[in-house]
Amino acid sequence: MEARDVRQALVRRPRQYPFGAWPWRSAAYLVSGVLGGALACVVLLVLLLASLLLVGIPLLLSGGVALGGAERLRLRLVDRTPAADPHRLPAAPGLGAWVRTRAGERATWRELGYALLFATVLWLLDALVLAVTVAAPGALLAAPLLLAADGQETKLLKSVLVTSYPGAFAGAAVGALALVALCYPLGLYAAGRGALARALLTPGERDGLGEVIASRARLVDAFEAERRRIERDLHDGAQHRLVALTMTLGLARLDAPPAGPLAARLAQAQEEAGQVLAELRELIHGIHPQVLADYGLGPALADAADRTAVPVDADLDGLPRLPAAVESAAYFTGREALANVDRHSGATRARLTGRHDGRVLVLTVEDDGRGGADPAGGSGLTGLADRLAVLDGTLTITSPPGGPTVLRVEIPCRVRSESSSPRTASSSGRD
Amino acid sequence: MPRSLRVVLAEDGVLLREGLIGLLSRFGHEVVAAVGDAEALRAAVAAHDPDVVLTDVRMPPGFRDEGLRAAVALRAERPGLPVLVLSQYVQRDYASDLLDSGDGSGVGYLLKDRVGQVEEFVDALDRVAAGGTVVDPEVVRQLLRRRRDPLAALTPREREVLALVAEGHSNGEVARRLVVTEAAVGKHIGNILAKLDLPPAEDTHRRVLAVLAYLQA
């Protein structure tokens, strides 16, 4: 599990942290912060002077917006998770519309506030932290070199006078230890600094995104409920009547004189009713498979794997019962992936794996086909990616030409709390 | 002519419930209680002590698998109580749960569509009541489809025989359906059991269980 940002790297693997890339990234973040901040300071002074002449307000705004964009990019140094752009697209083309849109956005003013803070306080703080955690140990580390260059003496951190090589090397050793020890506070500061930038520069709940996510989740729930309702109506209505009809026809066949035209007609009618029933059964299964509700994700996916033309090795051992929305989204994504294997891949074998580690459900579908699958190529997966997004889930597809194609679904979720089914793993995941 | 059976029937759809009562009485069986939910089913079994229980999987109040669970619970309480479950789904997990209850004798899992094949359906009910094991051909087909590798060693004829055995038919019945002699069927079954590394078994019901266990492994 790769750390996504400095904080995770510090918390999860503190012992490996000094020897990885994260201290370097933190230092780079602060160095670029100092340079950017100094530049911003100059630009800000110029713009403030300009705004005394009243043309500066749009300039000041656009300066803030530009800086915000640059800072969101720079955030990648300490946090791999992309920072979302909080701005709306302007309603119309042209500078006037752009200024009006931006001036009306809360995010723009937050960016301007950040720009002011950055140009006046933050970059100086960055410089101070760098001086203490990097520059000072660095200077100690360089003591032998400085002594060699001077030939006579050097002062450690401008205070301790050293005239001999053992002394200089002792200083360097202290510097090396200090560098390792101080990279922790460096990382902590960089993480905090990044969190501040993220808080001010990315969309907040009040920018309407939270509402969008909530309404999407409501839509997905409504859609699920509707599926279940349709399934239930078909089951209790049409399916039930059709079964009764075939039974009536069966009884009529007993009453008809055997081997006559009537018996033949009845047999034909029964045959057709039977076919309608089989089709209806498949249709209902496609809308909402009952096995998913009764037995959960493992058996439902094993069942889907049974139905593909390409042989599938299903490894779904010990998947617990998960929240209904998760089971449903994961099931339909898995089924769609298997259908794509059948339709497009030219594979001779596929592998379906499901795991839940207590926090995240990971589902992978691999095939040995020709690869080159394009997720944007109008496959049913795009709609499913939206469904997963509502659950904070992700869908990734790697499919180099020549294969193999690997589709991976991750959904963060906990095990379902209410024990809706006493038999969870009793019959799931047989080879 | 098989004996007359006392049947407890659980089916929430009125149309089908009435139809089944008519159908069974026509074949000389008696429906001693017809109920519409799992709770009433357990009460009816306690009150009537029937020869066989015929139940739907899906019933009120939850419309999930209450009927199946009631059937499994009843078999745990009364070992040897024959139960035939009707389902709208081709689903091996339902069948497995049933076969795991008791020692797998006197259970059946059939698709609801089969009630149209009136005589075969009543025959299946008789076999379950007599302690046999009946599994719907659709479910068997699904199981056969899953296990591709070891089954590849079987000849097409042996596969046909295996499917019929898994559905719970006796040697005589398999012979009749495939229009071969019973001795030929016996030979095929011997070959199949050897190829699949299964213990030889004389008794039909044990043989069915062995084959099903193999298919689900």
Side-chain angles (χ1 to χ4, degrees), chain B residues 53-133:
Chain B
V53 172
L54 179 62
T55 176
D56 183 8
V57 167
R58 205 157 120 157
M59 283 200 280
F63 293 98
R64 298 264 299 263
D65 51 358
E66 281 83 353
L68 181 82
R69 282 195 227 169
V72 171
L74 280 170
R75 287 190 42 96
E77 284 165 26
R78 304 166 165 253
L81 172 73
V83 175
L84 176 58
V85 172
L86 294 178
S87 167
Q88 296 280 38
Y89 322 101
V90 185
Q91 188 51 59
R92 63 165 198 267
D93 295 281
Y94 295 119
S96 311
D97 272 359
L98 264 181
L99 291 165
D100 292 345
S101 71
D103 63 348
S105 66
V107 285
Y109 177 86
L110 281 182
L111 273 180
K112 259 194 190 171
D113 314 11
R114 307 291 167 210
V115 300
Q117 308 299 327
V118 177
E119 283 161 309
E120 287 181 33
F121 167 66
V122 175
D123 174 55
L125 188 70
D126 287 336
R127 277 191 288 141
V128 168
T133 309

Side-chain angles (χ1 to χ4, degrees), chain A residues 255 270 281 293-294 306 430, chain B residues 26 64 92 94 113 116:
Chain A
D255 296 333
Q270 199 181 26
R281 194 169 48 230
D294 290 345
D306 285 350
R430 288 176 299 243
Chain B
R26 176 172 179 147
R64 298 264 299 263
R92 63 165 198 267
Y94 295 119
D113 314 11

